[in-house]
C-alpha cells in the first residue's frame, strides 16, 4: 500500500506565497515522476508541474516563472513553492507519483489540499 500525504495548503492573499509538500510512504520500491495537479470548481484536473527522479521539470504555462517544483529523493517527497499567487490559482491541489511497488507499476494520488487565493 502506497500513500501520498500532502500538506501546506491554505488561504492567502493575491501576491502571496505558499509551499506544498507531499511525502510518499509504504511499500514502494522506486518513484519515477512526481507532480502536482489541480482542479478548480467546474473545471477538469490539470497538470501544474512535474519532476522526474533525475530532476527534469515540466510546468503549465500559467505557472511558469511563479511556481517551482523540487523533490528530495531520499525522503520520497515533492515540494511546490508557489509565489505571486493569483485568484485563478484557487483549486484543490493533488500530489501524484508514478512508481513501482510489489505489484508493479502504479499511479498514486494524494487526498488533495485546498489552496484559496483571495483578491
Amino acid at each position: 500500500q502506497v500513500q501520498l500525504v500532502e500538506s501546506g495548503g491554505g488561504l492567502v492573499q493575491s501576491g502571496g506565497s505558499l509551499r506544498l509538500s507531499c511525502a510518499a510512504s509504504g511499500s514502494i520500491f522506486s518513484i519515477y515522476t512526481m507532480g502536482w495537479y489541480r482542479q478548480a470548481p467546474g473545471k477538469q484536473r490539470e497538470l501544474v508541474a512535474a519532476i522526474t527522479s533525475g530532476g527534469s521539470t515540466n510546468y503549465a504555462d500559467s505557472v511558469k516563472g511563479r511556481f517551482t517544483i523540487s523533490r528530495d529523493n531520499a525522503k520520497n517527497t515533492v515540494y511546490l513553492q508557489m509565489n505571486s499567487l493569483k485568484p485563478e490559482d484557487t483549486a484543490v491541489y493533488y500530489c501524484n507519483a508514478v512508481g513501482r511497488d510489489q505489484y508493479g507499476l502504479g499511479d498514486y494520488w494524494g487526498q488533495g489540499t485546498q489552496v484559496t487565493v483571495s483578491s
Side-chain angles (χ1 to χ4, degrees), residues 37-48 91-92 94:
Y37 289 71
R38 68 186 180 188
Q39 187 166 21
K43 295 187 177 181
Q44 289 188 331
R45 189 174 297 189
E46 63 175 359
L47 174 69
V48 177
V92 178
Y94 296 91

Side-chain angles (χ1 to χ4, degrees), residues 16-31:
S17 298
L18 283 174
R19 187 187 193 220
L20 305 183
S21 300
C22 171
S25 63
S27 302
I28 190 163
F29 300 151
S30 57
I31 299 178

Side-chain angles (χ1 to χ4, degrees), residues 6-82:
E6 301 139 335
S7 61
L11 173 64
V12 65
Q13 288 188 333
S14 181
S17 298
L18 283 174
R19 187 187 193 220
L20 305 183
S21 300
C22 171
S25 63
S27 302
I28 190 163
F29 300 151
S30 57
I31 299 178
Y32 305 123
T33 300
M34 299 188 81
W36 292 93
Y37 289 71
R38 68 186 180 188
Q39 187 166 21
K43 295 187 177 181
Q44 289 188 331
R45 189 174 297 189
E46 63 175 359
L47 174 69
V48 177
I51 184 168
T52 68
S53 57
S56 296
T57 58
N58 182 38
Y59 294 92
D61 288 342
S62 59
V63 306
K64 283 180 181 176
R66 301 188 298 122
F67 291 11
T68 302
I69 190 169
S70 60
R71 67 188 280 177
D72 184 334
N73 290 331
K75 296 181 179 180
N76 286 339
T77 299
V78 64
Y79 307 96
L80 185 67
Q81 178 65 45
M82 305 185 292

